[in-house]
Amino acid sequence: MKPEDIKYGSDGLVPVVIQDADSGEVLMLAYGNEESMRLTLERGEMVFYSRSRKEIWHKGMTSGNRLPLASLQIDCDCDAVLARVRPTGPACHTGETSCFYRFIHGNDDDSPVFLGRLWAYLKKRSQDSTEESYTARLIAGPKSRVAQKIGEEGVETALAIATEDRGQTIYEAADLVYHLLVGLLASDLSPGEIWRELKKRHRAR
Amino acid sequence: MKPEDIKYGSDGLVPVVIQDADSGEVLMLAYGNEESMRLTLERGEMVFYSRSRKEIWHKGMTSGNRLPLASLQIDCDCDAVLARVRPTGPACHTGETSCFYRFIHGNDDDSPVFLGRLWAYLKKRSQDSTEESYTARLIAGPKSRVAQKIGEEGVETALAIATEDRGQTIYEAADLVYHLLVGLLASDLSPGEIWRELKKRHRAR
């Protein structure tokens, strides 16, 4: 599809859903017009149309919290756009990661976006002092140390599954996932490379 | 927040971003009015307002592909809604999982939503004949078999990290993640329970 395929409303605008490319978290809903969508693709960063100020709005020009573009998708009717982005800071003007930080119903405690949030958090922790942070110590230490933890947690998860201890399985699998993320971080790899490898193997789409 | 906090536009509508609760995939953008949002919360399933037919639209009443509600969030300006859902079938009228199946720019090969898609795929495969499907064989077999695979892949990932073989680390970590998902499936657990456990431990939000 081409940018020209986007259908703008009678007000000249198209709604743009903004999603974090690495966590899958929905960050905001904004609007674009033909010019802002052209500028978005030219600059590789989100440029919107501000409905309140009635002007082109290069997101982050004032706050510094820009939204570099990873991919741009169009829906079946061509009248809505999905932009996956890698934010340089909080997307919301309140300082929250996402503008959708308040609930009317339910919660997102079991949401998979937490995996991406944990990854971002671990990246930050890796810069902390090794005295304060277990994560920083693991990353600063020899690779064999975090590797050993992954082996151990793999075996502990295996034992919990084999003995059908569901509570222990959740506990050990969480340990395993945490140490696997730290191992990837220590190896200068990212979870995205694992998803890409899995996608190559499985025709799950 | 309460449903009454939603601010509807001059046309009486609010845009609703629909996201798969388990994969994080953005499925569609639709619109609600006051009545449809009230019905959504009453029925626990998405009810929209169809702008083309100018009427209340209970999603799935014709197609059978309903969108049971997991959570409802409101944005900082109260003029956009995010609904996390657990679809009973494809969200798009074309039969695609998501309405956003076409790209204008980039791709989503490294997107974390693939983990959720793989999980849904494995759930389906688990019903297949054990002659045809390795996944079905693992799930039908004794728990010690899939447990053993998790232990093995944990150790293989550990060795790849310790020997600083990045390509092998990606390969083994993908094996580990696949077998961990199958282990959860065999134990009648879901990845959401792991995310919930990790969220309890880490203040990554």
Side-chain angles (χ1 to χ4, degrees), chain B residues 121-170:
Chain B
Y121 174 79
L122 294 179
K123 273 207 282 194
K124 262 188 234 157
R125 295 298 283 174
S126 69
Q127 329 262 307
D128 287 356
S129 97
T130 53
E131 276 168 34
E132 277 168 36
S133 161
Y134 172 68
T135 302
R137 268 200 302 285
L138 271 179
I139 290 168
K143 290 234 176 32
S144 58
R145 176 77 187 116
V146 62
Q148 183 191 332
K149 290 300 297 177
I150 293 169
E152 284 173 14
E153 300 302 344
V155 170
E156 283 168 18
T157 303
L159 292 174
I161 289 175
T163 57
E164 306 201 1
D165 186 334
R166 288 159 50 89
Q168 195 67 15
T169 300
I170 294 170

Side-chain angles (χ1 to χ4, degrees), chain A residues 122-134:
Chain A
L122 294 179
K123 273 206 281 193
K124 261 188 235 156
R125 296 298 283 173
S126 69
Q127 329 263 308
D128 287 356
S129 99
T130 53
E131 275 168 36
E132 278 169 36
S133 160
Y134 173 66

Side-chain angles (χ1 to χ4, degrees), chain A residues 72 75 102 104 175 201, chain B residues 72 75 102 104 175 201:
Chain A
L72 201 68
D75 81 344
R102 295 173 302 179
I104 291 178
D175 271 354
R201 297 183 192 181
Chain B
L72 201 67
D75 79 345
R102 295 172 303 179
I104 291 178
D175 271 355
R201 298 184 192 180

